[in-house]
C-alpha cells in the first residue's frame, strides 16, 4: 500500500493499528504500561528512531564478567552496588513518541506490563520501524 503512514494505539484492546492514507494496513498485539506506569494518551508524532536502543533507566546491574548482581533495576531508585556495571534493557526497533516512551520489540505477556512503553513482537516492531519516519502521527487511546 502507498500513502502517508499513521499509527493508532488502543490501550484497552492492547493493539497497535498501522494505517496508510487512513486505510488499515496492519495490526499488532502490544503490551503497554502497567498500573502506576501507565502509557500516556493523546496525539503525538514519532520523534526519534533508534534500531539498537538501550534503556538508560531500566536494566540490570552486572559484574565485570556480565553476571547479574541485581535484576530489573530502576536507576532512579536502585543504588548501584560497588563494582557493579549498569546493563540497560535492550529495546530493538525503538520509535520514540514522547519523553521516554516509545514503541519497540519486547515481551508480551498478554496484558499491560511495561514501564510505559509499547512493546511489540519482534517481527511487528521491525515492520512498523521500516514503515514509519520521524514525524509519523501516533494516537494513543485509553
Amino acid at each position: 500500500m502507498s500513502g502517508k503512514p499513521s499509527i493508532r494505539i488502543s490501550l484497552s484492546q492492547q493493539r497497535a493499528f498501522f494505517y496508510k492514507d487512513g486505510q488499515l494496513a496492519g495490526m499488532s498485539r502490544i503490551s503497554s504500561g502497567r498500573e502506576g506506569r501507565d502509557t500516556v494518551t493523546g496525539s503525538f508524532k514519532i520523534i526519534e528512531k533508534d534500531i539498537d536502543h538501550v534503556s538508560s533507566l531500566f536494566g540490570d546491574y552486572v559484574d565485570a564478567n556480565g553476571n547479574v548482581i541485581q535484576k530489573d533495576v530502576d536507576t532512579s531508585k536502585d543504588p548501584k552496588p560497588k563494582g557493579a556495571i549498569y546493563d540497560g534493557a535492550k529495546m530493538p526497533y525503538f520509535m520514540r513518541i514522547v519523553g521516554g516512551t516509545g514503541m519497540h520489540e519486547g515481551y508480551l505477556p498478554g496484558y499491560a506490563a511495561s514501564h510505559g512503553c509499547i512493546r511489540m513482537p519482534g517481527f511487528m516492531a521491525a515492520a512498523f520501524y521500516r514503515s514509519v519516519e520521524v514525524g509519523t502521527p501516533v494516537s494513543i487511546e485509553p
Side-chain angles (χ1 to χ4, degrees), residues 13-139:
Q13 295 179 49
Q14 291 293 285
R15 297 279 188 266
F17 301 91
F18 182 76
Y19 296 89
K20 286 285 200 144
D21 273 345
Q23 293 189 0
L24 184 63
M27 180 189 65
S28 178
R29 294 178 305 116
I30 65 164
S31 180
S32 62
R34 65 179 181 252
E35 189 174 335
R37 292 286 197 169
D38 300 309
T39 301
V40 296
T41 58
S43 295
F44 309 96
K45 293 182 184 216
I46 301 288
I47 56 175
E48 175 191 9
K49 290 174 62 177
D50 182 357
I51 200 163
D52 294 316
H53 189 73
V54 176
S55 177
S56 59
L57 191 58
F58 303 106
D60 301 326
Y61 289 135
V62 299
D63 65 19
N65 296 319
N67 300 308
V68 175
I69 297 171
Q70 188 176 345
K71 190 166 181 52
D72 298 324
V73 300
D74 175 341
T75 59
S76 70
K77 297 177 183 173
D78 300 312
K80 184 165 62 168
K82 186 172 180 157
I85 301 164
Y86 173 69
D87 182 27
K90 312 305 182 257
M91 301 172 152
Y93 304 107
F94 187 77
M95 296 159 276
R96 188 179 308 276
I97 299 166
V98 61
T101 302
M103 298 182 295
H104 61 83
E105 177 181 336
Y107 174 63
L108 279 79
Y111 51 88
S114 80
H115 292 107
C117 280
I118 297 142
R119 300 180 191 159
M120 308 172 85
F123 70 99
M124 291 305 295
F128 274 61
Y129 187 91
R130 285 190 307 269
S131 301
V132 301
E133 303 170 345
V134 169
T136 296
V138 179
S139 67

